[in-house]
Each structure stands twice: as C-alpha cells, then as structure tokens.
Amino acid sequence: AQTVTQSQPEMSVQEAETVTLSCTYDTSESDYYLFWYKQPPSRQMILVIRQEAYKQQNATENRFSVNFQKAAKSFSLKISDSQLGDAAMYFCAYRSLISNFGNEKLTFGTGTRLTIIP
Amino acid sequence: KAGVTQTPRYLIKTRGQQVTLSCSPISGHRSVSWYQQTPGQGLQFLFEYFSETQRNKGNFPGRFSGRQFSNSRSEMNVSTLELGDSALYLCASSETSGSNYEQYFGPGTRLTVT
C-alpha cells in the first residue's frame, strides 16, 4: 500500500516571501500521479498542481512549482511571492496508475497548515 | 459548468441513527469518490463509484455504504451511527483518464453525531 508523509504540521511565511512544503511518499509502482491540494478555511478542496511520475520536468503553475525527485520519492511544493490568500491546509496526494480504471483513490498526507504573516 | 454539490452541508444525528448524504458531480463526470476527513485520521478514502458500480472501497466497516444513480449522482449511507463517525465527508468527481486528470471536490457535509 502507498503512504504519503508530510512532516511539517505547520509552516509560516512572511507575505511576498517563498516557502517550501515537504512531502515524501512510499510506493513500489513506477507510474502514478502526485498532487498538491489546498483546503482554505472555507473547506473547499482545490487542486494546486499535479505531476505525472513519468515526466522528468517539474510542474509549474504560476507562483507554485514542485521539486519532484522520483528516486528519493520526494515531492515538495514551492510557493513564491506568498500572498494572504495562500493561507490554508495543504495536502500532498498520490494516485496509482496501475490501471486506468478503479484507481480513483487518492492517498493523502496529513497536511501542512500554512500561515501567511502580513 | 457547475461544481460538485453536496447536500446537506451540515447534519446533527444521534448515536444509533442512520444518515444519507448526497453528492452531485460535475456534468459529464462519471466517477464519484467519497472521503472522510477527521482531525485524528485525516483524509481517508471511503469508496468510488463509476457507472453505478462500486469499483474501489477503503477500509471502513460495512455500516458505510453507497450507491450511484444513472445520472451519476451518488449517495452514501452510514447506519448505526457512532460518535467516531463525526467528520467532514467530502465527495469528489472526475473524468477517469486524460493528461489533465483532476478530482474536483465538493464543499463537504459536516456530520456531527451526539
């Protein structure tokens, strides 16, 4: 079974600064997706960024980028130019790709609560 | 497109009762997954339905069940409620393949068992 570990329960960053959230995972599979989801206090979970394991290039979405180290099974999220609206719980998640069907299950880490200091 | 909707948003039940939660996926999405979120256990996968069939199930007791209708709407049912069932129940819908794969989450149903 796959596991996802987020070792930082809480992080804080000054507005406009850069912060990196850590995530490690354990799997014996070679093909999978990794995600970072954001859950603001309103509770609606939204996707921040996705990474397909077969792609060596790190995914980037505006101020959000990842450092994907497949051999080390590490998937960190970097948020540049932090904004007050970035304050939320951030969850790292794993999705198997063994089969295209019946693998909608996401395995989540325990989350990192990010606080933005004005 | 409208997002994933869940009803009701809040629910208070008593131990021993049963409850039914509803989820309407994004139009065109045929896969619906359910997750339980608690402070102690985090986000845990309950089950996933596709075309009215349960394709995957998490490690939850048989008191937790679900179904999906022909219009892809899904319901989950919890019978004989326990205090530990108090949680935020999240529903997510997705298209099952494609390079832009994403699960879209609803706002959740907050269940409190007293």
PDB file of all heavy atoms in Angstrom, chain A residues 91-112:
ATOM      1  N   PHE A  91      -2.401  19.674   1.248  1.00  0.00           N
ATOM      2  CA  PHE A  91      -2.311  18.221   1.288  1.00  0.00           C
ATOM      3  C   PHE A  91      -1.583  17.703   0.056  1.00  0.00           C
ATOM      4  O   PHE A  91      -1.881  18.104  -1.074  1.00  0.00           O
ATOM      5  CB  PHE A  91      -3.706  17.590   1.329  1.00  0.00           C
ATOM      6  CG  PHE A  91      -4.461  17.843   2.589  1.00  0.00           C
ATOM      7  CD1 PHE A  91      -5.379  18.889   2.668  1.00  0.00           C
ATOM      8  CD2 PHE A  91      -4.277  17.041   3.708  1.00  0.00           C
ATOM      9  CE1 PHE A  91      -6.091  19.133   3.828  1.00  0.00           C
ATOM     10  CE2 PHE A  91      -4.986  17.280   4.882  1.00  0.00           C
ATOM     11  CZ  PHE A  91      -5.891  18.322   4.946  1.00  0.00           C
ATOM     12  N   CYS A  92      -0.675  16.821   0.301  1.00  0.00           N
ATOM     13  CA  CYS A  92       0.001  16.085  -0.758  1.00  0.00           C
ATOM     14  C   CYS A  92      -0.802  14.800  -0.979  1.00  0.00           C
ATOM     15  O   CYS A  92      -1.279  14.188  -0.010  1.00  0.00           O
ATOM     16  CB  CYS A  92       1.425  15.781  -0.301  1.00  0.00           C
ATOM     17  SG  CYS A  92       2.440  14.862  -1.456  1.00  0.00           S
ATOM     18  N   ALA A  93      -0.965  14.391  -2.224  1.00  0.00           N
ATOM     19  CA  ALA A  93      -1.777  13.200  -2.505  1.00  0.00           C
ATOM     20  C   ALA A  93      -1.168  12.381  -3.625  1.00  0.00           C
ATOM     21  O   ALA A  93      -0.512  12.910  -4.530  1.00  0.00           O
ATOM     22  CB  ALA A  93      -3.208  13.601  -2.854  1.00  0.00           C
ATOM     23  N   TYR A  94      -1.435  11.091  -3.563  1.00  0.00           N
ATOM     24  CA  TYR A  94      -0.895  10.117  -4.513  1.00  0.00           C
ATOM     25  C   TYR A  94      -2.043   9.374  -5.173  1.00  0.00           C
ATOM     26  O   TYR A  94      -3.026   9.017  -4.514  1.00  0.00           O
ATOM     27  CB  TYR A  94      -0.013   9.120  -3.744  1.00  0.00           C
ATOM     28  CG  TYR A  94       0.506   7.946  -4.536  1.00  0.00           C
ATOM     29  CD1 TYR A  94       1.827   7.932  -4.996  1.00  0.00           C
ATOM     30  CD2 TYR A  94      -0.287   6.836  -4.809  1.00  0.00           C
ATOM     31  CE1 TYR A  94       2.328   6.854  -5.713  1.00  0.00           C
ATOM     32  CE2 TYR A  94       0.198   5.759  -5.536  1.00  0.00           C
ATOM     33  CZ  TYR A  94       1.508   5.775  -5.982  1.00  0.00           C
ATOM     34  OH  TYR A  94       1.995   4.710  -6.689  1.00  0.00           O
ATOM     35  N   ARG A  95      -1.902   9.136  -6.489  1.00  0.00           N
ATOM     36  CA  ARG A  95      -2.876   8.318  -7.195  1.00  0.00           C
ATOM     37  C   ARG A  95      -2.143   7.300  -8.045  1.00  0.00           C
ATOM     38  O   ARG A  95      -1.295   7.657  -8.859  1.00  0.00           O
ATOM     39  CB  ARG A  95      -3.789   9.151  -8.084  1.00  0.00           C
ATOM     40  CG  ARG A  95      -4.848   8.288  -8.799  1.00  0.00           C
ATOM     41  CD  ARG A  95      -5.351   8.901 -10.074  1.00  0.00           C
ATOM     42  NE  ARG A  95      -6.292   8.015 -10.760  1.00  0.00           N
ATOM     43  CZ  ARG A  95      -6.485   7.994 -12.066  1.00  0.00           C
ATOM     44  NH1 ARG A  95      -5.823   8.810 -12.844  1.00  0.00           N
ATOM     45  NH2 ARG A  95      -7.353   7.159 -12.608  1.00  0.00           N
ATOM     46  N   SER A  96      -2.485   6.042  -7.849  1.00  0.00           N
ATOM     47  CA  SER A  96      -1.866   4.975  -8.614  1.00  0.00           C
ATOM     48  C   SER A  96      -2.311   5.031 -10.071  1.00  0.00           C
ATOM     49  O   SER A  96      -3.398   5.511 -10.388  1.00  0.00           O
ATOM     50  CB  SER A  96      -2.259   3.619  -8.006  1.00  0.00           C
ATOM     51  OG  SER A  96      -1.825   2.558  -8.824  1.00  0.00           O
ATOM     52  N   LEU A  97      -1.464   4.520 -10.950  1.00  0.00           N
ATOM     53  CA  LEU A  97      -1.811   4.442 -12.367  1.00  0.00           C
ATOM     54  C   LEU A  97      -1.634   3.036 -12.911  1.00  0.00           C
ATOM     55  O   LEU A  97      -1.433   2.851 -14.106  1.00  0.00           O
ATOM     56  CB  LEU A  97      -0.952   5.409 -13.184  1.00  0.00           C
ATOM     57  CG  LEU A  97      -1.538   6.795 -13.375  1.00  0.00           C
ATOM     58  CD1 LEU A  97      -0.565   7.688 -14.128  1.00  0.00           C
ATOM     59  CD2 LEU A  97      -2.848   6.744 -14.145  1.00  0.00           C
ATOM     60  N   ILE A  98      -1.726   2.056 -12.001  1.00  0.00           N
ATOM     61  CA  ILE A  98      -1.577   0.669 -12.454  1.00  0.00           C
ATOM     62  C   ILE A  98      -2.590   0.372 -13.535  1.00  0.00           C
ATOM     63  O   ILE A  98      -2.316  -0.241 -14.530  1.00  0.00           O
ATOM     64  CB  ILE A  98      -1.734  -0.305 -11.263  1.00  0.00           C
ATOM     65  CG1 ILE A  98      -0.494  -0.255 -10.388  1.00  0.00           C
ATOM     66  CG2 ILE A  98      -1.977  -1.708 -11.766  1.00  0.00           C
ATOM     67  CD1 ILE A  98      -0.552  -1.212  -9.218  1.00  0.00           C
ATOM     68  N   SER A  99      -3.800   0.809 -13.268  1.00  0.00           N
ATOM     69  CA  SER A  99      -4.859   0.619 -14.245  1.00  0.00           C
ATOM     70  C   SER A  99      -5.595   1.926 -14.361  1.00  0.00           C
ATOM     71  O   SER A  99      -5.703   2.670 -13.394  1.00  0.00           O
ATOM     72  CB  SER A  99      -5.814  -0.480 -13.784  1.00  0.00           C
ATOM     73  OG  SER A  99      -7.028  -0.416 -14.489  1.00  0.00           O
ATOM     74  N   ASN A 100      -6.078   2.204 -15.537  1.00  0.00           N
ATOM     75  CA  ASN A 100      -6.795   3.451 -15.709  1.00  0.00           C
ATOM     76  C   ASN A 100      -8.156   3.426 -15.030  1.00  0.00           C
ATOM     77  O   ASN A 100      -8.773   4.458 -14.832  1.00  0.00           O
ATOM     78  CB  ASN A 100      -6.973   3.733 -17.203  1.00  0.00           C
ATOM     79  CG  ASN A 100      -6.534   5.129 -17.555  1.00  0.00           C
ATOM     80  OD1 ASN A 100      -5.990   5.838 -16.728  1.00  0.00           O
ATOM     81  ND2 ASN A 100      -6.787   5.539 -18.775  1.00  0.00           N
ATOM     82  N   PHE A 101      -8.603   2.243 -14.659  1.00  0.00           N
ATOM     83  CA  PHE A 101      -9.929   2.128 -14.089  1.00  0.00           C
ATOM     84  C   PHE A 101      -9.858   1.566 -12.677  1.00  0.00           C
ATOM     85  O   PHE A 101      -9.057   0.717 -12.378  1.00  0.00           O
ATOM     86  CB  PHE A 101     -10.814   1.243 -14.966  1.00  0.00           C
ATOM     87  CG  PHE A 101     -10.961   1.770 -16.364  1.00  0.00           C
ATOM     88  CD1 PHE A 101     -10.211   1.246 -17.390  1.00  0.00           C
ATOM     89  CD2 PHE A 101     -11.805   2.819 -16.629  1.00  0.00           C
ATOM     90  CE1 PHE A 101     -10.314   1.744 -18.672  1.00  0.00           C
ATOM     91  CE2 PHE A 101     -11.923   3.334 -17.912  1.00  0.00           C
ATOM     92  CZ  PHE A 101     -11.175   2.786 -18.932  1.00  0.00           C
ATOM     93  N   GLY A 102     -10.701   2.072 -11.833  1.00  0.00           N
ATOM     94  CA  GLY A 102     -10.745   1.577 -10.464  1.00  0.00           C
ATOM     95  C   GLY A 102      -9.610   2.097  -9.621  1.00  0.00           C
ATOM     96  O   GLY A 102      -9.325   1.571  -8.565  1.00  0.00           O
ATOM     97  N   ASN A 103      -8.956   3.142 -10.079  1.00  0.00           N
ATOM     98  CA  ASN A 103      -7.856   3.705  -9.298  1.00  0.00           C
ATOM     99  C   ASN A 103      -8.049   5.189  -9.058  1.00  0.00           C
ATOM    100  O   ASN A 103      -7.094   5.951  -9.129  1.00  0.00           O
ATOM    101  CB  ASN A 103      -6.528   3.445  -9.982  1.00  0.00           C
ATOM    102  CG  ASN A 103      -5.957   2.099  -9.582  1.00  0.00           C
ATOM    103  OD1 ASN A 103      -5.969   1.729  -8.426  1.00  0.00           O
ATOM    104  ND2 ASN A 103      -5.482   1.366 -10.549  1.00  0.00           N
ATOM    105  N   GLU A 104      -9.278   5.567  -8.799  1.00  0.00           N
ATOM    106  CA  GLU A 104      -9.548   6.961  -8.497  1.00  0.00           C
ATOM    107  C   GLU A 104      -9.142   7.325  -7.077  1.00  0.00           C
ATOM    108  O   GLU A 104      -9.121   8.478  -6.711  1.00  0.00           O
ATOM    109  CB  GLU A 104     -11.044   7.263  -8.677  1.00  0.00           C
ATOM    110  CG  GLU A 104     -11.578   6.995 -10.069  1.00  0.00           C
ATOM    111  CD  GLU A 104     -10.840   7.792 -11.118  1.00  0.00           C
ATOM    112  OE1 GLU A 104     -10.756   9.019 -10.974  1.00  0.00           O
ATOM    113  OE2 GLU A 104     -10.333   7.197 -12.080  1.00  0.00           O
ATOM    114  N   LYS A 105      -8.788   6.330  -6.295  1.00  0.00           N
ATOM    115  CA  LYS A 105      -8.451   6.577  -4.905  1.00  0.00           C
ATOM    116  C   LYS A 105      -7.240   7.489  -4.782  1.00  0.00           C
ATOM    117  O   LYS A 105      -6.192   7.248  -5.386  1.00  0.00           O
ATOM    118  CB  LYS A 105      -8.150   5.244  -4.207  1.00  0.00           C
ATOM    119  CG  LYS A 105      -7.587   5.397  -2.792  1.00  0.00           C
ATOM    120  CD  LYS A 105      -7.199   4.045  -2.241  1.00  0.00           C
ATOM    121  CE  LYS A 105      -6.538   4.173  -0.883  1.00  0.00           C
ATOM    122  NZ  LYS A 105      -6.156   2.855  -0.340  1.00  0.00           N
ATOM    123  N   LEU A 106      -7.399   8.531  -3.992  1.00  0.00           N
ATOM    124  CA  LEU A 106      -6.281   9.393  -3.639  1.00  0.00           C
ATOM    125  C   LEU A 106      -5.844   9.040  -2.213  1.00  0.00           C
ATOM    126  O   LEU A 106      -6.684   8.922  -1.323  1.00  0.00           O
ATOM    127  CB  LEU A 106      -6.683  10.862  -3.686  1.00  0.00           C
ATOM    128  CG  LEU A 106      -7.003  11.457  -5.060  1.00  0.00           C
ATOM    129  CD1 LEU A 106      -7.468  12.900  -4.922  1.00  0.00           C
ATOM    130  CD2 LEU A 106      -5.780  11.397  -5.965  1.00  0.00           C
ATOM    131  N   THR A 107      -4.545   8.881  -2.041  1.00  0.00           N
ATOM    132  CA  THR A 107      -3.988   8.694  -0.714  1.00  0.00           C
ATOM    133  C   THR A 107      -3.363  10.010  -0.285  1.00  0.00           C
ATOM    134  O   THR A 107      -2.470  10.528  -0.973  1.00  0.00           O
ATOM    135  CB  THR A 107      -2.935   7.574  -0.716  1.00  0.00           C
ATOM    136  OG1 THR A 107      -3.549   6.360  -1.154  1.00  0.00           O
ATOM    137  CG2 THR A 107      -2.359   7.382   0.677  1.00  0.00           C
ATOM    138  N   PHE A 108      -3.833  10.541   0.827  1.00  0.00           N
ATOM    139  CA  PHE A 108      -3.420  11.866   1.260  1.00  0.00           C
ATOM    140  C   PHE A 108      -2.404  11.799   2.385  1.00  0.00           C
ATOM    141  O   PHE A 108      -2.408  10.872   3.219  1.00  0.00           O
ATOM    142  CB  PHE A 108      -4.628  12.657   1.779  1.00  0.00           C
ATOM    143  CG  PHE A 108      -5.555  13.144   0.701  1.00  0.00           C
ATOM    144  CD1 PHE A 108      -6.625  12.374   0.289  1.00  0.00           C
ATOM    145  CD2 PHE A 108      -5.367  14.389   0.111  1.00  0.00           C
ATOM    146  CE1 PHE A 108      -7.488  12.823  -0.698  1.00  0.00           C
ATOM    147  CE2 PHE A 108      -6.230  14.848  -0.873  1.00  0.00           C
ATOM    148  CZ  PHE A 108      -7.289  14.063  -1.277  1.00  0.00           C
ATOM    149  N   GLY A 109      -1.576  12.818   2.456  1.00  0.00           N
ATOM    150  CA  GLY A 109      -0.760  13.052   3.636  1.00  0.00           C
ATOM    151  C   GLY A 109      -1.607  13.731   4.700  1.00  0.00           C
ATOM    152  O   GLY A 109      -2.785  14.032   4.481  1.00  0.00           O
ATOM    153  N   THR A 110      -0.989  13.999   5.849  1.00  0.00           N
ATOM    154  CA  THR A 110      -1.716  14.561   6.982  1.00  0.00           C
ATOM    155  C   THR A 110      -1.889  16.071   6.898  1.00  0.00           C
ATOM    156  O   THR A 110      -2.604  16.653   7.697  1.00  0.00           O
ATOM    157  CB  THR A 110      -1.022  14.215   8.298  1.00  0.00           C
ATOM    158  OG1 THR A 110       0.359  14.567   8.176  1.00  0.00           O
ATOM    159  CG2 THR A 110      -1.147  12.728   8.603  1.00  0.00           C
ATOM    160  N   GLY A 111      -1.239  16.691   5.940  1.00  0.00           N
ATOM    161  CA  GLY A 111      -1.439  18.110   5.710  1.00  0.00           C
ATOM    162  C   GLY A 111      -0.441  19.002   6.424  1.00  0.00           C
ATOM    163  O   GLY A 111       0.149  18.637   7.450  1.00  0.00           O
ATOM    164  N   THR A 112      -0.248  20.172   5.849  1.00  0.00           N
ATOM    165  CA  THR A 112       0.581  21.236   6.447  1.00  0.00           C
ATOM    166  C   THR A 112      -0.252  22.497   6.473  1.00  0.00           C
ATOM    167  O   THR A 112      -0.765  22.933   5.442  1.00  0.00           O
ATOM    168  CB  THR A 112       1.857  21.484   5.610  1.00  0.00           C
ATOM    169  OG1 THR A 112       2.673  20.319   5.609  1.00  0.00           O
ATOM    170  CG2 THR A 112       2.638  22.667   6.176  1.00  0.00           C
TER     171      THR A 112
END
